[in-house]
Amino acid sequence: MLSLIALHYMYNITLLFSLWLGQLFLVDQPLPFNFDITEQNGKPVFIIHNAEERIVCDIYRVTEDSMFVRVPVFDSEFKLRIEGDRLRGKWVNYGKKGSPEITFMGYKGVSQRFTDQGQPAADINGKWETWFDVDSPDSSIAIGVFNQDNNHVTGTYLTETGDHRFLEGSLVGRTLKMSVFDGTHAWLYVAEVKGDSMNGMYYSGTTYKAPFHAKRNPLVKLRDPNTITSVNGKLDFSFPDLDSNIVSLHDARFKNKPVIIQIMGSWCPNCMDETIFLNEFYKARKEEGVEVIGLAFERSGEFSKAKTSVSRLIKKYDVQYPVLIAGISGKDNVLKQIPQIKDFISFPTSIYLDRKGNVVKVHAGFAGPATGEEYEKFKKDFNKTMDKLIR
């Protein structure tokens, strides 16, 4: 990492210190997000905004006319050209096959996420029953949860596999626009609101767009995440840790202890949210005789590449429980590696074991902090389960 002094030698980066508007150019719509270029601990940083979330990225190289930004955890970066009060270049997502590059533009001093600001002509506060990929065999239900303050809107979509994380946007007239960029996902939602219904398009990356429909429904519910996936019998697995040591559930470390098995991947934002939560729990209560094991299913089947990806996550969040390299990402691979699991639908999925190794609960997906009320409900249920298992 170059020092700030060295960066100054090549380019006076303080000239870029400001709030910016970034745009990623998707299928046929620009996805906007705000970011800061500033200094932290003597180093320049690029901080992505999504509602209350802040993602601090390293500016690891600056030349006379270029800047390179590495996104934490996920295998992606920005390659940018400095053009006065503008930045022009690419966001490169190395973890994505096919079309990993998206064109990027940045505008200094612009604070509005969507620039077509005006007064709202609707109120979308509350829960919305939402169907993505309408009229498609892949159609799926989600719950839109929105908080509106005048024309500013935040919220997320909760699904049975997780949530769409921290969305932010605006409602101008009857047009709703929301977006999120978290370093691996670039998602945009554009809809027209008519009374208690809305119709719109959902965009992801440079190749995907699909229609969605929503209706206001304060009583909408998804299936209970504790009833979707199950385990037949007792779990039995052995996988290597990051030092290639084979770790098994039969090891003395886990004997006569309640254990949480986290099926996850370093490429998965909901898994990242769950990892942060489980790590805080583990640090607070590991002395009470409880263990957590992460089973990472990575996009590369090459151990060294999988190790590099998982190591970024562990380093970023100081993960203190063991994370094992379990295989390649994909539902079929999970079932192949852990055949006791039935009806697996989601990364992440957590399996709770009592002190005798019996499965007491399997929780599919993760309702993260962006879901508000659902996150609080999850935490209450989680603490109740773990208090009982630890006692």
Side-chain angles (χ1 to χ4, degrees):
M1 177 65 66
L2 292 172
S3 69
L4 190 59
I5 294 175
L7 287 165
H8 276 201
Y9 180 75
M10 290 179 286
Y11 180 86
N12 185 4
I13 198 169
T14 59
L15 296 175
L16 302 179
F17 285 5
S18 178
L19 179 65
W20 291 68
L21 173 70
Q23 289 185 326
L24 292 166
F25 291 87
L26 307 187
V27 184
D28 53 15
Q29 293 277 342
L31 180 156
F33 66 96
N34 289 106
F35 63 95
D36 287 307
I37 297 180
T38 185
E39 177 183 341
Q40 282 190 359
N41 301 319
K43 296 179 180 179
V45 290
F46 182 111
I47 305 177
I48 298 169
H49 297 200
N50 291 303
E52 65 264 36
E53 179 184 49
R54 298 293 181 268
I55 302 171
V56 180
C57 309
D58 291 330
I59 298 175
Y60 71 91
R61 183 183 172 202
V62 177
T63 66
E64 289 183 358
D65 61 359
S66 301
M67 182 171 70
F68 300 83
V69 180
R70 181 176 293 113
V71 179
V73 181
F74 307 117
D75 191 11
S76 71
E77 69 173 332
F78 289 92
K79 298 180 177 181
L80 306 176
R81 190 171 196 85
I82 302 168
E83 300 176 350
D85 288 346
R86 291 190 177 186
L87 296 169
R88 183 191 304 272
K90 300 283 187 180
W91 170 59
V92 187
N93 186 359
Y94 297 107
K96 181 177 175 59
K97 296 180 181 179
S99 303
E101 294 188 354
I102 297 181
T103 299
F104 171 87
M105 284 293 298
Y107 305 91
K108 184 180 178 182
V110 181
S111 61
Q112 294 177 338
R113 197 175 187 95
F114 292 92
T115 56
D116 51 348
Q117 298 296 296
Q119 293 301 307
D123 180 352
I124 65 167
N125 279 295
K127 291 184 177 181
W128 292 71
E129 179 181 332
T130 306
W131 290 89
F132 288 99
D133 292 307
V134 179
D135 299 326
S136 162
D138 297 325
S139 183
S140 59
I141 188 173
I143 300 176
V145 183
F146 304 124
N147 299 296
Q148 179 183 343
D149 181 7
N150 194 18
N151 66 359
H152 183 245
V153 180
T154 59
T156 194
Y157 289 98
L158 178 65
T159 75
E160 290 183 345
T161 61
D163 63 81
H164 290 204
R165 307 194 76 251
F166 294 89
L167 306 184
E168 184 174 3
S170 62
L171 180 64
V172 177
R174 297 191 178 278
T175 300
L176 173 67
K177 295 182 179 180
M178 304 190 76
S179 63
V180 61
F181 172 69
D182 60 15
T184 186
H185 288 146
W187 290 343
L188 173 70
Y189 314 75
V190 180
E192 287 297 313
V193 182
K194 294 183 178 180
D196 288 337
S197 68
M198 66 174 76
N199 291 284
M201 295 294 294
Y202 160 65
Y203 302 83
S204 175
T206 58
T207 59
Y208 185 82
K209 69 176 182 179
F212 71 91
H213 170 74
K215 62 180 181 180
R216 191 188 302 274
N217 183 357
L219 303 179
V220 63
K221 292 182 179 180
L222 302 175
R223 288 185 295 173
D224 183 345
N226 298 313
T227 64
I228 298 172
T229 302
S230 61
V231 174
N232 286 349
K234 289 190 176 183
L235 285 178
D236 184 15
F237 59 77
S238 298
F239 297 116
D241 64 14
L242 299 190
D243 295 320
S244 299
N245 300 312
I246 299 300
V247 176
S248 168
L249 260 180
H250 301 297
D251 292 349
R253 172 175 179 173
F254 310 113
K255 188 175 181 180
N256 298 323
K257 293 180 180 180
V259 181
I260 302 171
I261 309 298
Q262 178 199 24
I263 299 175
M264 47 80 75
S266 65
W267 46 269
C268 161
N270 291 141
C271 300
M272 178 182 70
D273 289 339
E274 185 184 57
T275 298
I276 295 169
F277 175 82
L278 289 177
N279 191 48
E280 291 304 311
F281 161 78
Y282 183 66
K283 288 192 292 185
R285 303 195 66 176
K286 62 183 177 181
E287 298 303 325
E288 298 178 59
V290 64
E291 294 289 346
V292 180
I293 306 173
L295 302 183
F297 287 82
E298 295 300 302
R299 285 180 167 162
S300 174
E302 187 177 327
F303 182 85
S304 61
K305 291 183 178 180
K307 174 182 176 178
T308 297
S309 298
V310 174
S311 295
R312 280 196 298 265
L313 177 68
I314 290 174
K315 181 179 179 181
K316 173 65 177 178
Y317 296 109
D318 185 30
V319 179
Q320 296 188 9
Y321 57 84
V323 180
L324 315 181
I325 306 298
I328 302 174
S329 61
K331 297 177 183 178
D332 290 342
N333 290 325
V334 172
L335 299 177
K336 180 180 178 181
Q337 296 292 79
I338 315 175
Q340 298 93 347
I341 297 177
K342 304 299 177 184
D343 300 318
F344 180 84
I345 69 163
S346 175
F347 292 94
T349 290
S350 295
I351 304 169
Y352 299 73
L353 310 180
D354 66 16
R355 294 183 184 274
K356 295 181 180 180
N358 298 312
V359 175
V360 297
K361 185 169 74 173
V362 183
H363 186 95
F366 184 73
T371 66
E373 182 179 304
E374 289 298 321
Y375 181 56
E376 296 303 318
K377 179 181 176 182
F378 163 79
K379 289 194 295 183
K380 183 178 179 180
D381 183 57
F382 174 89
N383 288 326
K384 182 179 179 181
T385 298
M386 295 313 302
D387 287 345
K388 183 177 179 180
L389 289 178
I390 291 172
R391 285 198 302 266

